Amino acid sequence: MNDHSLAFLKRLLATPGPSGDEVAVGRIWRREAETFADQVYADVRGSSYAVLEGGAPRVLLAGHIDEIGVMVSAIDDDGFLWFSPIGGWDPQVLVGQRVRLAGRTGDVIGVIGKKPIHQMKPDEREKASKIEDLWIDIGVTSRAEARELVRVGATGVIDAPIYDLPGGRIVSRSIDDRIGAFTVLEALRLLERDRPRATVAAVATSQEEITFAGAHTAAFSFEPQVAIAVDVTFATDHPNADRRQYGNVRLGGGPVLSRGSANSPVVYDMLTAIAEREGIPYSVQVNPRFTGTDADAIHLSRGGVATAVISIPNRYMHSPNEMIALSDVEYAARLIAAFVRSLTPETSFIPI
């Protein structure tokens, strides 16, 4: 990955953007898209679009730009903040973490607190933490002092930095799915250099972690015939992974192609053939019921959209330290670009 793209990725990862509050990170994504796309705009639900104008078919590339986070639900007399989760948290991951909240005049740093182990009874030590037992401490001493800094409804994310690791790997919060929003824009960048016949929109969709709102509105308004949702999926190259259930998915093993459920069998076959022709490594993950991605909303839009899911292998999903291999991102962008270039106005997506 070149230095420019890597710096752009790190800006995306570093910028808070919990579901429903994607404004700041959306601006960064659109600013980069404006350097090469024909059209760049946002919609009323907070999704961002970058379009290359062409002919038929119309292709939608979706990667959600939101991340999981927290929302302040109450402030008590002593200035402690109580909160609700935005998206799916394992509460054990939150204990003792620093959080960065969107305050009245700027970011506010807090710590997620819990009763210390020294004061727990033996049976309490065996119990898992629950969200309702945790609080955020921002260092104030009263409700009035806290209210000067934050309000009920303020959102926040884990305050975790980005680190480069050996072997071209990075670790950060928000990889799910800031990396998908990054990948679709990198694929569009490749397509701009060697234009396809199709009209293509890369979309950084909003609110995937809570409502799929961005995917619904993007698919409806752009009216694609074919779409690819780019998300992360569980890597299984770590201790205690169940490869019989979740497949052999490895960091550095290339993108993961989803089979079943919301996925078009026509597009799946096209992607596997292109990957093999282009020498792009990949693995397969089965989703016989649903994908848990934007594809679940996109494929049902209007009269139906031929949809596929391409995923980036990810360790430690929904934690402050998600880990990916950058090579998988580059392979995914290459595969998407090659797929789009293969399309013609005569390409049929009807499985017959």
Side-chain angles (χ1 to χ4, degrees):
M1 187 174 294
N2 64 53
D3 291 343
H4 177 85
S5 291
L6 185 57
F8 166 51
L9 172 59
K10 289 183 176 181
R11 288 196 301 274
L12 286 179
L13 293 173
T15 305
S19 302
D21 271 351
E22 303 93 344
V23 174
V25 70
R27 288 195 190 109
I28 292 171
W29 191 93
R30 292 195 302 275
R31 194 175 303 129
E32 182 65 26
E34 286 167 353
T35 64
F36 63 88
D38 298 332
Q39 288 188 63
V40 178
Y41 58 95
D43 71 14
V44 70
R45 297 306 300 146
S47 296
S48 297
Y49 298 68
V51 181
L52 293 183
E53 296 290 357
R58 295 176 66 81
V59 184
L60 176 66
L61 308 176
H64 73 87
I65 203 165
D66 59 311
E67 61 182 298
I68 57 175
V70 297
M71 180 177 286
V72 176
S73 57
I75 304 173
D76 70 18
D77 291 342
D78 297 315
F80 293 107
L81 313 181
W82 301 84
F83 65 94
S84 295
I86 300 175
W89 279 109
D90 174 359
Q92 317 317 305
V93 169
L94 291 171
V95 176
Q97 297 286 348
R98 285 190 298 272
V99 292
R100 183 175 295 271
L101 300 168
R104 290 179 180 269
T105 59
D107 289 349
V108 175
I109 300 299
V111 177
I112 296 181
K114 177 188 174 182
K115 183 178 181 181
I117 192 170
H118 313 76
Q119 297 176 358
M120 291 182 184
K121 297 175 182 179
D123 64 318
E124 291 180 304
R125 297 184 183 188
E126 301 298 321
K127 294 179 181 178
S129 298
K130 298 179 180 179
I131 293 284
E132 53 264 33
D133 297 326
L134 307 178
W135 61 85
I136 299 173
D137 186 343
I138 59 172
V140 301
T141 59
S142 68
R143 177 185 279 114
E145 193 178 354
R147 280 180 165 175
E148 291 179 2
L149 298 174
V150 297
R151 67 188 77 193
V152 170
T155 61
V157 298
I158 297 297
D159 186 39
I162 305 158
Y163 289 105
D164 296 295
L165 297 181
R169 297 174 180 183
I170 60 170
V171 63
S172 175
R173 49 151 266 280
S174 78
I175 283 175
D176 181 9
D177 183 37
R178 209 66 45 79
I179 199 64
F182 172 82
T183 301
V184 297
L185 197 58
E186 288 298 292
L188 199 74
R189 195 194 303 272
L190 294 175
L191 290 166
E192 191 275 334
R193 295 168 184 164
D194 181 9
R195 291 255 177 166
R197 284 168 281 191
T199 297
V200 191
V203 185
T205 57
S206 64
Q207 298 187 32
E208 189 271 354
E209 296 290 353
I210 54 174
T211 66
F212 293 128
H216 280 292
T217 54
F220 186 88
S221 64
F222 187 70
E223 298 187 59
Q225 283 77 54
V226 59
I228 296 177
V230 181
D231 213 311
V232 293
T233 194
F234 304 103
T236 59
D237 56 348
H238 58 81
N240 300 324
D242 185 351
R243 295 187 182 93
R244 291 174 296 181
Q245 179 70 30
Y246 298 108
N248 187 15
V249 177
R250 311 184 70 83
L251 267 61
V256 182
L257 305 184
S258 179
R259 181 74 173 91
S261 183
N263 298 274
S264 160
V266 174
V267 179
Y268 173 82
D269 288 344
M270 292 176 70
L271 286 169
T272 56
I274 291 169
E276 289 164 9
R277 185 188 72 212
E278 299 289 328
I280 296 173
Y282 70 93
S283 57
V284 175
Q285 201 164 55
V286 300
N287 290 288
R289 295 178 58 205
F290 54 86
T291 72
T293 74
D294 277 340
D296 292 340
I298 293 169
H299 82 108
L300 296 173
S301 183
R302 294 184 181 268
V305 179
T307 305
V309 178
I310 296 178
S311 299
I312 308 300
N314 182 20
R315 290 183 190 163
Y316 322 123
M317 199 182 301
H318 281 207
S319 84
N321 296 290
E322 299 180 319
M323 185 187 300
I324 61 165
L326 293 174
S327 62
D328 295 331
V329 180
E330 293 179 291
Y331 281 130
R334 279 180 52 199
L335 176 57
I336 293 167
F339 169 77
V340 175
R341 290 193 193 105
S342 75
L343 302 176
T344 72
E346 291 74 36
T347 302
S348 173
F349 303 105
I350 298 173
I352 53 176

